[in-house]
């Protein structure tokens, strides 16, 4: 059985220059049902709120065409009470980079 997920999202793209575009994304996450997790983890009264996932990414086209595209960014999961009951309460970070070459 799947505990389910409630997701509230807000995001926006910004064209900073002709070569550079930024993307901002924020998600609010919470479990729909915690009974399955409580049974699996042998814990009672798990909170539903997982936390906030926020990310920032950039797309750079140095030659103003699609032959070379560089994407990079970072995201963080800021844990709330439900996540802290299951895992550590530290903020989790991730980064990414992509190079696309087309001839």
């Amino acid at each position: 059985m799947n505990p389910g997920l409630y997701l509230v999202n807000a995001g926006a793209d910004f064209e900073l220059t002709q070569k550079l575009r930024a993307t901002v994304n924020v998600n609010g996450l919470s479990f729909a049902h915690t009974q399955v997790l409580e049974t699996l983890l042998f814990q009672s009264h798990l909170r539903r709120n997982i936390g906030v996932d926020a990310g920032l990414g950039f797309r750079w086209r140095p030659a103003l065409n699609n032959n070379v595209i560089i994407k990079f960014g970072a995201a963080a999961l800021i844990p709330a009470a439900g996540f802290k009951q299951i895992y550590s309460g530290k903020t989790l970070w991730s980064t990414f980079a992509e190079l696309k070459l087309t001839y």
Side-chain angles (χ1 to χ4, degrees):
M1 178 139 193
N2 188 338
L5 178 75
Y6 290 122
L7 177 95
V8 178
N9 174 267
D13 288 338
F14 300 96
E15 189 142 347
L16 304 176
T17 68
Q18 289 181 338
K19 294 181 178 185
L20 185 63
R21 172 176 281 194
T23 301
V24 178
N25 195 35
V26 178
N27 300 302
L29 305 162
S30 64
F31 294 118
H33 306 285
T34 59
Q35 293 86 358
V36 174
L37 293 170
E38 290 171 0
T39 302
L40 178 69
L41 300 172
F42 301 105
Q43 291 183 350
S44 59
H45 307 294
L46 286 177
R47 303 243 173 122
R48 292 181 183 220
N49 196 359
I50 299 170
V52 175
D53 172 45
L56 175 63
F58 295 95
R59 184 183 76 167
W60 182 43
R61 299 180 315 141
L64 283 178
N65 59 29
N66 289 337
N67 290 352
V68 177
I69 300 174
I70 300 169
K71 295 180 184 178
F72 56 95
L77 174 64
I78 303 161
F83 191 86
K84 288 178 182 178
Q85 286 178 303
I86 298 171
Y87 298 107
S88 71
K90 296 180 181 179
T91 298
L92 302 175
W93 294 91
S94 66
T95 59
F96 67 91
E98 175 185 334
L99 172 63
K100 183 176 180 182
L101 302 172
T102 306
Y103 176 73

